[in-house]
Amino acid sequence: MSEVTSLQLTQREERGKGPCARLRSNGLVPGVFYNSKGENISFTVDNMALGKAFEKVRYSKMIELQINVDGQVEKRNALFKKLVTHPVKRRYDHVDFIGIDLDKEVQVTIPVETVGRAKGVVLGGKLEILQERVMVRCLPTIIPDSVVVDVTELDIAEKVFVEQLILPEGVKAVYDRNYPVLAIQTARGAKTGEEE
């Protein structure tokens, strides 16, 4: 697992459209942190710092929130729940974080990454990523950066299904049906292995 990203927040007391509009005009983003224990903390965060943190973790990696509450910094582990972008201006309008426990599994979606050059691509086929992200379940501390698929041995018309994915220990794919994640599609003029 890569290093945990942290983000500085400041608790806020004011609510409503007026105060929130003033915050946004000063480069701050209003937000809410909540968790299963009933905690509900309203806060502000710097717009630029929020954007940088989101680029690193998206919706699938744990983030450490450092919340300034009356001069004391309280730390909370969380995931991005919702990030609202302004439709025109280059800024964020609101953010929600959901708190997580380090000893309880979470479900997140992580990107699919391929390595190698497929046998079928060498023969003229085309690699198609059918699912760019897959859902996995694991502890927050071992969320992988991606699912890595070695496509080297894949021939034309072959597929890799979700149940075939090789995941790190403690990480399980979540699915109802065994769907294809990627495939080598036949391209015009491509030769199959038998023809070769």
Side-chain angles (χ1 to χ4, degrees), residues 8 40 55 92 140 152 175:
Q8 314 284 328
N40 201 316
E55 284 300 312
Y92 301 105
T152 310
Y175 55 94

Side-chain angles (χ1 to χ4, degrees), residues 1 6 25 38 154:
M1 190 191 96
S6 62
S25 66
L154 284 185

Side-chain angles (χ1 to χ4, degrees), residues 120-121 124-130 155-159 182-188 190:
V121 171
K126 185 182 176 191
L127 173 63
E128 293 266 350
I129 307 289
L130 304 173
D155 210 336
I156 290 173
E158 288 189 330
K159 296 177 181 177
L182 55 85
I184 307 298
Q185 307 284 17
T186 306
R188 196 174 295 163

Side-chain angles (χ1 to χ4, degrees), residues 76-148:
R76 300 285 188 280
N77 296 309
L79 293 170
F80 272 93
K81 181 70 176 172
K82 187 177 181 183
L83 182 60
V84 180
T85 306
H86 190 278
V88 180
K89 298 176 182 177
R90 296 185 63 183
R91 73 172 196 213
Y92 301 105
D93 275 355
H94 188 85
V95 61
D96 287 334
F97 289 105
I98 184 163
I100 53 176
D101 294 322
L102 297 186
D103 57 353
K104 289 185 180 175
E105 289 187 334
V106 293
Q107 283 189 189
V108 295
T109 58
I110 58 175
V112 173
E113 184 183 331
T114 61
V115 293
R117 183 167 164 80
K119 199 188 297 181
V121 171
V122 175
L123 296 173
K126 185 182 176 191
L127 173 63
E128 293 266 350
I129 307 289
L130 304 173
Q131 299 289 332
E132 292 186 349
R133 303 180 74 84
V134 295
M135 182 171 282
V136 297
R137 177 193 291 274
C138 62
L139 292 173
T141 51
I142 59 169
I143 297 171
D145 291 323
S146 62
V147 180
V148 180

